[in-house]
Amino acid sequence: MQRSEPVSVWPLSGPLLEGPVWVQRDAALWFTDIKRHKIYRYDPVSGDKREWLAPDQIGFALPAAGGGFIAGLKTGLHRFDETNGSFTPLCDPEPELPNNRLNDGIVDVHGRLWFGTMDDGEANATGRIYRLGADGSCVAESDFCSITNGPALSPDGRTLYHTDTLGGFIYACDVGDDGTLSNRRLFATIPNADGFPDGPAVDAEGCVWTGLYKGWSVRRYSPAGELLETVRLPVDAITKIAFGGPDLKTVYVSTANKHLSPAELEAQPLAGNLFTFDVDVPGVAGVEISVGV
């Protein structure tokens, strides 16, 4: 399904790029650098590149209905206004866990925000998957694990995928009409020797893509969990992909370099950059957050 080789399009040399999302209302890719506390916007047509500084570590910024974004920071959910760079606190899902941070998020077909938390030290099993409720509260919807990644959703919104990165497990769950999760099951297992499954994404055929941290590649799995394709990159830490462009057939890839020694950085000069490659099967159009905001 891959039609072109990955190419670096923004040489950021970022410690931990994350959360790429194609925002249709301005035809641009938005993503973050968690460790530099940055939000980035990339317009592939004009080449325009912009950035904003967040008040803390930031995992994602997803578009909200009516304008602006909902951002996931170490201190919880905030409303982000790109016109003036302001952040307004909304909800902290885990005030009793100051060593946790928000990591990754997605919006389902009903406009509900789903996001994960994790131990910032990447060791303790204190992270969970949450849903932003209609009343603006954060509702826990998963068991605990050290590093949550995802979630991602099937095209019909009925299946949610989330990742236990250190365990090497990708799970699938059924999504109820009320947003509750059930029937949690193992979707795929990736041995640590192959890399650690990071952020997942789903294409229009319902296939699940996952970046591999320390695995030099992105993998594509069928809805049944069968490995279909592997796309190799010139860097070892791939955090997540997003589908963008007018036909949603351009894949954007966020990467990281925070784990590399000086010698390894010299051997991987493109690590921490934003990459793209083209595919035959498009992604699924994004939805703006309309529930709980």
Side-chain angles (χ1 to χ4, degrees):
M1 314 310 296
Q2 176 191 4
R3 289 194 287 113
S4 66
E5 292 300 313
V7 175
S8 172
V9 293
W10 194 345
L12 287 164
S13 191
L16 188 56
L17 303 187
E18 184 58 274
V21 59
W22 181 256
V23 178
Q24 291 180 297
R25 67 189 181 203
D26 68 345
L29 185 86
W30 292 71
F31 61 104
T32 69
D33 187 328
I34 294 174
K35 298 304 180 182
R36 285 180 175 165
H37 306 182
K38 291 289 187 70
I39 296 176
Y40 295 104
R41 177 187 181 274
Y42 172 63
D43 183 333
V45 174
S46 68
D48 182 57
K49 301 178 178 72
R50 301 183 189 179
E51 64 181 65
W52 294 260
L53 182 65
D56 208 329
Q57 295 186 81
I58 178 167
F60 62 84
L62 295 166
F69 292 76
I70 304 301
L73 276 68
K74 189 176 188 297
T75 50
L77 296 176
H78 291 62
R79 182 175 286 276
F80 165 61
D81 185 341
E82 76 276 21
T83 64
N84 59 21
S86 65
F87 289 81
T88 304
L90 294 176
C91 173
D92 184 353
E94 299 168 338
E96 75 285 4
L97 295 171
N99 293 323
N100 270 18
R101 63 172 173 81
L102 276 62
N103 189 44
D104 199 1
I106 196 171
V107 188
D108 71 14
V109 296
H110 303 289
R112 296 179 297 216
L113 170 64
W114 296 82
F115 62 95
T117 63
M118 61 171 283
D119 171 31
D120 196 32
E122 303 182 4
N124 298 318
T126 54
R128 304 181 81 172
I129 297 295
Y130 288 85
R131 168 176 52 86
L132 183 61
D135 63 354
S137 65
C138 298
V139 183
E141 290 285 0
S142 80
D143 296 333
F144 290 100
C145 73
S146 299
I147 302 178
T148 63
N149 264 295
L153 290 145
S154 60
D156 63 4
R158 304 295 295 180
T159 304
L160 179 142
Y161 302 92
H162 71 93
T163 300
D164 174 350
T165 293
L166 293 184
F169 305 123
I170 302 175
Y171 294 100
C173 307
D174 296 335
V175 183
D177 292 338
D178 60 355
T180 56
L181 300 182
S182 62
N183 189 28
R184 182 173 179 262
R185 57 208 180 266
L186 188 62
F187 172 75
T189 300
I190 298 175
N192 288 171
D194 291 353
F196 297 87
D198 209 303
V202 179
D203 65 27
E205 292 184 347
C207 293
V208 178
W209 295 69
T210 184
L212 292 183
Y213 202 98
K214 297 186 178 180
W216 297 89
S217 62
V218 178
R219 287 184 175 183
R220 182 178 187 248
Y221 290 85
S222 76
E226 176 190 4
L227 178 59
L228 299 177
E229 184 178 6
T230 300
V231 179
R232 183 84 173 175
L233 277 94
V235 299
D236 75 340
I238 293 82
T239 59
K240 192 174 183 180
I241 72 159
F243 296 90
D247 58 2
L248 297 177
K249 290 184 178 181
T250 298
V251 173
Y252 292 91
V253 187
S254 56
T255 68
N257 68 18
K258 73 180 182 72
H259 61 294
L260 298 178
S261 68
E264 289 169 331
L265 277 170
E266 186 175 353
Q268 295 185 48
L270 302 181
N273 291 358
L274 179 70
F275 290 80
T276 67
F277 62 89
D278 295 326
V279 291
D280 290 320
V281 177
V284 179
V287 179
E288 296 180 346
I289 304 166
S290 59
V291 176
V293 296

